[in-house]
Amino acid sequence: MKKIVSLVLCAVIVLCTSAPAFADDGCKCGFSPIIYVGPLGCTPIVRDAGTKNEQQLWKIDTKFLLSKLGKVLPGITKGLLLRNSDMLGSALVEFVNACFGDLALDGEGKSKANVTTPELNVPTGSRHGPDSDYYFDYDFRLDPYEHADRLYEFIEQVKALTGHNSVKLKCSSMGGVVLSAYLDKYGYDGIDVIICRCCPLLGTAVAGEAFCGKIEINSTSLTRYGEDAIPFLETGFADDFIEGTLYALLDVLKGAGIVDALCALGDRLIKEVGDKVFSDALIPVFGTLPGIWAFVPEEYFDEAVKFMKLPGQGGLHDKVFAYRTAMANIENNLKSARQNGVKVCIICGYNVQRTPLVTLWKSTSDGTVDTKYASLGATCGNVKEPLDAGYLNALKNRDYLSPDNMIDASTCALPECTWFVRDWLHCNGNAGIDELFNLVMTSDEVNVDSFEKFPQFSEADDDADTIYPVTGAPDEFARFRTAPTFLNFIRFLFSAVKRFLDPLFK
Ligand SMILES: [Zn+2]
């Protein structure tokens, strides 16, 4: 009898200890759950949440922004009219601080107590499968290692809820920063797929340059930035017509010299008030955010530390420096994950004009993240241009060269599992790319030769919501023939005019 009682007791104890996770019984569906690690701004940052003064600071709501702008507009106008740069600078500083000042962290890298993220997700429910994911969000300002700790707990919870002993991580944009910190601290145990979608794994030049004060408004980059963004507009009404008209308008303004005049004005303003705006507003706010520091590429880092006046010690300093290890190790961490059976897919855009505010505007990108940083080291031609002839002639291994000669992926950390999509705007949704992700998640073998429909180099077609293989240099006429829309007609028309006019001006 005693024996039976103790056996029953043992059984009860075993059942109780494993009760939180029936996981140990395992889910038999064969598809481990997806955790989507979101981009910057994936959750609202709120001041005085739950009180009558509640104000969303990020993403900033337009009404709040306009109300603050209304307050400083007289100062800005007066400053501009009287050409008084002190007055103008003070108004701009007041504006930036009123809108973003409370986002600043303290010397320990901690948020103000009344500035919080009240809507952070906690995993619930056990639904999982190819069409369902758990959304991991975070306060983008904070130390990426804090997110890594939370992600660890999150993964454990998801495993317990679903009965799987591994998960798939699908990281979008800044999600790659969280991933880098995670892999560095926790490794890849319990992860079977890693997808990096437009992730600034080695940073982004726009952050590096801005944190070194290298701001420049350039009319060519501004126009191209507009041109490249226009096809992705969702106006909700007569999309194609509006896009085509805007495209034409932008090019006419550029042709008439109006864009150049505006840029010259902008540049003059930056020279006059830039220092003040940096020292009194941008540095005290954005210079205190380890999350933004994580975007600064290694080659800019030392100069940025000086320019942004990062404190020489304390929590903030330590957090900013700690992430350098994650960035330095991401290549090897992903390599060893892959060598040990984790399926890895890095995918990035190219040939989109980058943010038109920095001196390095020719760096090819998805508009936000440079292709060389997102791909862990591809060698790239300038935006809209092939690699130079000398490089191409000397190239021995052409297996990873794009058919348009713009990208050589052989210099990437993981060339065999890095995909490139021409004209793909940063993180824009695309059903074709989602199809690739599904294949990555369900196939045994994942490399750039695995899927006939998705070779290493594709081109985004936003209208058709898909991607198709790159076969040669960008050709506006071919684009128009494939998709005869008004926008594509205008693009073809202006490209023909430019081809005709450019030699005349040169
Ligand atoms: Zn399952």
Side-chain angles (χ1 to χ4, degrees):
M1 185 65 195
K2 253 186 185 169
K3 219 175 185 180
I4 292 173
V5 168
S6 57
L7 270 177
V8 169
L9 271 176
C10 275
V12 167
I13 288 167
V14 167
L15 273 178
C16 285
T17 47
S18 61
F22 277 98
D24 298 339
D25 295 325
C27 174
K28 301 283 185 283
C29 78
F31 190 91
S32 65
I34 306 170
I35 296 177
Y36 180 76
V37 186
L40 190 154
C42 48
T43 193
I45 299 177
V46 181
R47 183 175 60 204
D48 299 322
T51 73
K52 66 176 174 26
N53 296 325
E54 177 170 312
Q55 178 59 54
Q56 185 166 318
L57 298 177
W58 199 281
K59 287 183 165 176
I60 194 158
D61 87 72
T62 323
K63 229 170 99 187
F64 176 67
L65 189 85
L66 288 176
S67 77
K68 297 295 170 195
L69 189 64
K71 283 202 181 112
V72 298
L73 209 55
I76 293 178
T77 320
K78 227 167 152 184
L80 280 173
L81 288 177
L82 299 175
R83 294 194 152 211
N84 183 330
S85 51
D86 281 345
M87 199 181 272
L88 180 64
S90 304
L92 288 173
V93 166
E94 189 190 329
F95 175 64
V96 174
N97 282 322
C99 294
F100 304 110
D102 281 338
L103 289 174
L105 304 185
D106 65 15
E108 292 306 309
K110 293 202 168 112
S111 175
K112 286 187 173 144
N114 64 334
V115 179
T116 56
T117 45
E119 291 176 27
L120 277 187
N121 284 323
V122 177
T124 51
S126 60
R127 205 168 90 91
H128 60 284
D131 299 321
S132 155
D133 55 37
Y134 291 88
Y135 192 12
F136 180 79
D137 49 8
Y138 52 89
D139 181 337
F140 75 88
R141 300 173 299 157
L142 305 179
D143 176 10
Y145 283 94
E146 286 176 41
H147 308 323
D149 293 341
R150 272 191 50 245
L151 181 57
Y152 179 81
E153 299 298 325
F154 197 95
I155 290 173
E156 292 305 307
Q157 277 169 298
V158 168
K159 289 200 292 201
L161 284 165
T162 59
H164 282 269
N165 53 20
S166 67
V167 299
K168 309 182 197 318
L169 293 182
K170 183 176 167 190
C171 311
S172 221
S173 191
M174 191 179 192
V177 166
V178 178
L179 173 78
S180 299
Y182 182 86
L183 290 179
D184 202 46
K185 184 159 178 184
Y186 294 99
Y188 50 81
D189 264 3
I191 299 173
D192 55 63
V193 173
I194 294 174
I195 291 174
C196 295
R197 176 175 175 264
C198 311
C199 294
L201 296 173
L202 297 178
T204 160
V206 70
E209 299 233 324
F211 269 32
C212 292
K214 293 179 180 162
I215 302 286
E216 174 193 300
I217 305 182
N218 166 291
S219 68
T220 306
S221 66
L222 186 66
T223 312
R224 282 185 184 172
Y225 189 71
E227 285 176 353
D228 288 353
I230 282 171
F232 295 90
L233 284 179
E234 274 168 34
T235 54
F237 159 76
D239 266 8
D240 180 43
F241 178 72
I242 291 176
E243 286 168 8
T245 309
L246 281 175
Y247 196 97
L249 184 69
L250 187 61
D251 277 46
V252 168
L253 288 175
K254 168 84 171 105
I258 292 170
V259 178
D260 290 78
L262 284 173
C263 288
L265 180 70
D267 254 348
R268 209 197 75 216
L269 285 176
I270 288 174
K271 282 202 182 73
E272 286 176 10
V273 303
D275 286 351
K276 186 175 172 67
V277 175
F278 258 105
S279 69
D280 297 356
L282 298 177
I283 293 176
V285 179
F286 296 99
T288 67
L289 311 181
I292 301 296
W293 275 100
F295 295 140
V296 176
E298 190 54 38
E299 62 260 45
Y300 295 95
F301 187 69
D302 292 337
E303 193 183 338
V305 166
K306 280 190 209 115
F307 183 82
M308 297 300 283
K309 304 187 178 87
L310 187 72
Q313 55 189 6
L316 173 63
H317 167 275
D318 295 348
K319 287 172 180 175
V320 169
F321 272 76
Y323 184 75
R324 309 322 292 168
T325 321
M327 191 187 272
N329 291 342
I330 185 63
E331 292 193 9
N332 284 334
N333 287 337
L334 283 174
K335 273 184 191 167
S336 62
R338 188 160 196 270
Q339 275 155 14
N340 289 285
V342 179
K343 288 182 269 178
V344 176
C345 165
I346 299 170
I347 185 164
C348 41
Y350 74 102
N351 202 44
V352 181
Q353 178 59 54
R354 73 145 29 276
T355 337
L357 278 174
V358 290
T359 55
L360 203 98
W361 60 271
K362 284 185 177 172
S363 174
T364 199
S365 72
D366 61 16
T368 303
V369 181
D370 310 75
T371 311
K372 61 178 176 179
Y373 295 135
S375 65
L376 294 175
T379 306
C380 309
N382 285 334
V383 63
K384 317 285 179 198
E385 293 172 24
L387 286 152
D388 67 58
Y391 183 88
L392 289 170
N393 288 336
L395 193 64
K396 295 232 162 55
N397 176 5
R398 303 177 88 87
D399 293 351
Y400 296 106
L401 180 66
S402 63
D404 54 22
N405 287 346
M406 288 177 163
I407 307 282
D408 171 21
S410 70
T411 52
C412 292
L414 294 126
E416 65 286 355
C417 56
T418 305
W419 279 261
F420 297 81
V421 182
R422 189 167 77 191
D423 300 338
W424 181 31
L425 193 69
H426 188 65
C427 283
N428 212 66
N430 183 299
I433 293 171
D434 291 343
E435 202 184 324
L436 167 63
F437 293 155
N438 268 327
L439 286 171
V440 166
M441 291 189 278
T442 51
S443 307
D444 294 330
E445 180 74 16
V446 171
N447 63 56
V448 291
D449 298 321
S450 301
F451 319 115
E452 206 181 325
K453 203 174 162 191
F454 302 106
Q456 186 153 39
F457 299 96
S458 298
E459 179 174 17
D461 182 336
D462 193 54
D463 284 324
D465 197 20
T466 190
I467 56 176
Y468 43 83
V470 167
T471 50
D475 178 347
E476 294 293 353
F477 184 58
R479 195 206 302 266
F480 174 60
R481 256 191 337 204
T482 321
T485 62
F486 178 59
L487 170 67
N488 287 343
F489 172 68
I490 297 285
R491 288 165 94 168
F492 160 62
L493 189 72
F494 276 91
S495 76
V497 171
K498 272 180 216 164
R499 248 205 319 267
F500 176 70
L501 287 180
D502 275 354
L504 296 182
F505 284 111
K506 274 173 192 160

